[in-house]
């Protein structure tokens, strides 16, 4: 966790979720939705740097290929999604996504591939990715803590938003919290990772992801209870509590065990991920 954007003070739960996403062998999609200049981009850049397979770019696209693909004559040019196959696709400012890219993104998030059928060319590319994205709210920053008003500032339609397993709402810090951050920054000592450090981390993640992890039946009851509790409290959250959130809980709990080279999820893994999900649903 300490290696995810270490110069950014705070946002511990978000860094924890992203670190687990690196170790997940199933698709887990995370969205960081919040005010500008809160460290969102730095966090997803760090994930791209540490992931064995990754891509990073803007939602508006950094080339003609955008998120999907294109042809220059007979030359195939891959976009962000197929480039990250088997890893993490980090998309900054997803709210600026081009309409042409939406279909590619939906397919990759749900099915793990993208298709192209234009100008007499038909091709399908693997894009089995975990999406880690940022987005700014409508009006550039959140203007209220009221749940209904916050929902009106979400810049993505339901079809895209509901494809994410976890959505964090990030707001600029209050004056008191800003002063706490400033004090920690003054005292904080960060170490830059060397290329050999990064190589080791990538190799470790690759090794861990080969482990098959089971979810014990005795913990499944706890998940059902948690799901029921969250559903009862749904009206106090910005995001709906859906089956996808529960799938995210189980996949990240397995990632937590895998990170520690265990082949079975334990209660500590479940509690850790449960705390992450509860924190993501709160408005701070």
């Amino acid at each position: 966790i300490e290696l995810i954007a270490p110069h950014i003070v705070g946002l511990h739960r978000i860094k924890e979720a992203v670190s687990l996403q690196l170790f997940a062998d199933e698709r887990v999609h995370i969205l960081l939705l919040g005010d500008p200049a809160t460290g969102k981009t730095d966090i997803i850049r760090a994930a791209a740097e540490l992931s064995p397979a990754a891509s990073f770019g803007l939602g508006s696209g950094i080339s003609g290929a955008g998120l999907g693909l294109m042809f220059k004559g007979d030359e195939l040019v891959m976009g962000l999604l197929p480039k990250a196959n088997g890893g993490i696709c980090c998309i900054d400012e997803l709210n600026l996504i081009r309409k042409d890219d939406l279909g590619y993104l939906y397919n990759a998030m749900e099915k793990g591939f993208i298709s192209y059928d234009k100008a007499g060319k038909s091709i399908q590319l693997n894009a089995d990715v975990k999406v880690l994205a940022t987005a700014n709210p409508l009006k550039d920053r959140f203007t209220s803590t009221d749940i209904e008003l916050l929902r009106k500032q979400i810049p993505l339609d339901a079809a895209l938003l509901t494809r994410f397993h976890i959505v964090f709402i990030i707001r600029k810090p209050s004056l008191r919290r800003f002063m706490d951050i400033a004090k920690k920054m003054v005292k904080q000592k960060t170490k830059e990772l060397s290329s050999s450090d990064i190589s080791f981390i990538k190799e470790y993640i690759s090794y861990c992801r080969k482990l098959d992890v089971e979810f014990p039946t005795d913990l499944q009851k706890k998940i059902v209870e948690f799901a029921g509790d969250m559903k009862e409290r749904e009206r106090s959250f910005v995001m709906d509590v859906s089956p996808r959130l529960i799938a995210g809980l189980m996949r990240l709990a397995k990632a937590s065990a895998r990170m520690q080279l265990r082949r079975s999820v334990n209660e500590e893994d479940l509690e850790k991920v449960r705390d992450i999900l509860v924190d993501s649903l709160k408005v701070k």
Side-chain angles (χ1 to χ4, degrees):
I1 298 165
E2 287 75 13
L3 304 181
I4 304 290
H7 60 290
I8 300 295
V9 176
L11 304 183
H12 179 80
R13 292 293 187 202
I14 295 173
K15 294 180 181 182
E16 196 170 24
V18 171
S19 69
L20 291 178
Q21 188 186 30
L22 288 168
F23 286 84
D25 72 340
E26 300 168 279
R27 287 191 287 274
V28 181
H29 308 308
I30 299 175
L31 175 64
L32 311 184
L33 173 57
D35 297 339
T38 48
K40 305 187 303 294
T41 300
D42 290 335
I43 288 174
I44 72 170
R45 276 189 186 277
E49 184 178 32
L50 297 176
S51 178
S55 64
F56 176 92
L58 293 172
S60 55
I62 56 173
S63 69
L67 301 187
L69 62 108
M70 68 174 290
F71 280 92
K72 288 185 176 179
D74 290 329
E75 179 191 358
L76 170 64
V77 180
M78 294 195 298
L80 293 179
L81 292 165
K83 278 184 178 179
N85 182 47
I88 290 184
C89 182
C90 298
I91 307 171
D92 200 21
E93 298 185 0
L94 184 63
N95 50 296
L96 301 181
I97 187 173
R98 304 183 305 193
K99 288 185 179 179
D100 290 347
D101 280 334
L102 274 174
Y104 291 131
L105 186 57
Y106 291 160
N107 257 26
M109 294 177 81
E110 290 290 329
K111 302 174 183 176
F113 66 84
I114 62 172
S115 300
Y116 180 95
D117 193 0
K118 294 179 184 176
K121 291 184 172 66
S122 182
I123 188 173
Q124 180 174 299
L125 295 178
N126 290 330
D128 188 8
V129 298
K130 294 168 285 187
V131 173
L132 174 60
T134 74
N136 295 335
L138 298 176
K139 299 182 182 179
D140 202 40
R141 62 176 295 176
F142 285 116
T143 57
S144 174
T145 57
D146 180 79
I147 296 296
E148 291 305 318
L149 293 178
L150 285 171
R151 286 177 176 167
K152 289 179 181 178
Q153 284 194 262
I154 294 175
L156 309 177
D157 63 24
L160 179 52
L161 190 67
T162 55
R163 280 171 165 80
F164 286 94
H165 296 88
I166 307 177
V167 179
F168 284 95
I169 301 293
I170 308 171
R171 308 191 67 207
K172 280 194 173 180
S174 63
L175 177 60
R176 181 175 178 179
R177 186 163 154 250
F178 178 81
M179 295 304 294
D180 288 340
I181 290 172
K183 290 175 185 176
K184 290 177 182 177
M185 287 179 67
V186 171
K187 297 178 181 178
Q188 180 174 277
K189 293 180 181 179
T190 59
K191 177 186 175 183
E192 291 293 323
L193 287 174
S194 67
S195 58
S196 59
D197 290 334
I198 294 172
S199 294
F200 173 79
I201 292 165
K202 288 182 176 181
E203 289 174 13
Y204 183 72
I205 291 171
S206 295
Y207 180 82
C208 291
R209 286 188 59 198
K210 294 175 184 176
L211 292 178
D212 289 326
V213 177
E214 66 170 4
F215 213 107
T217 54
D218 62 314
L219 293 181
Q220 292 176 10
K221 183 179 178 182
K222 292 182 180 293
I223 294 175
V224 174
E225 291 172 351
F226 170 73
D229 178 55
M230 290 295 99
K231 196 67 179 173
E232 286 181 1
R233 298 162 57 189
E234 186 175 48
R235 296 185 69 178
S236 64
F237 304 140
V238 177
M239 300 299 152
D240 292 338
V241 176
S242 69
R244 200 177 300 270
L245 184 139
I246 305 307
L249 182 150
M250 295 183 70
R251 293 172 186 180
L252 289 182
K254 287 182 180 180
S256 176
R258 191 175 290 111
M259 181 189 284
Q260 299 171 67
L261 296 176
R262 285 186 280 103
R263 294 184 180 274
S264 181
V265 174
N266 63 24
E267 194 154 347
E268 184 180 330
D269 299 317
L270 192 56
E271 288 179 1
K272 179 197 300 183
V273 179
R274 189 167 53 198
D275 289 346
I276 289 172
L277 291 180
V278 170
D279 192 69
S280 74
L281 292 167
K282 293 178 179 176
V283 178
K284 303 172 203 54

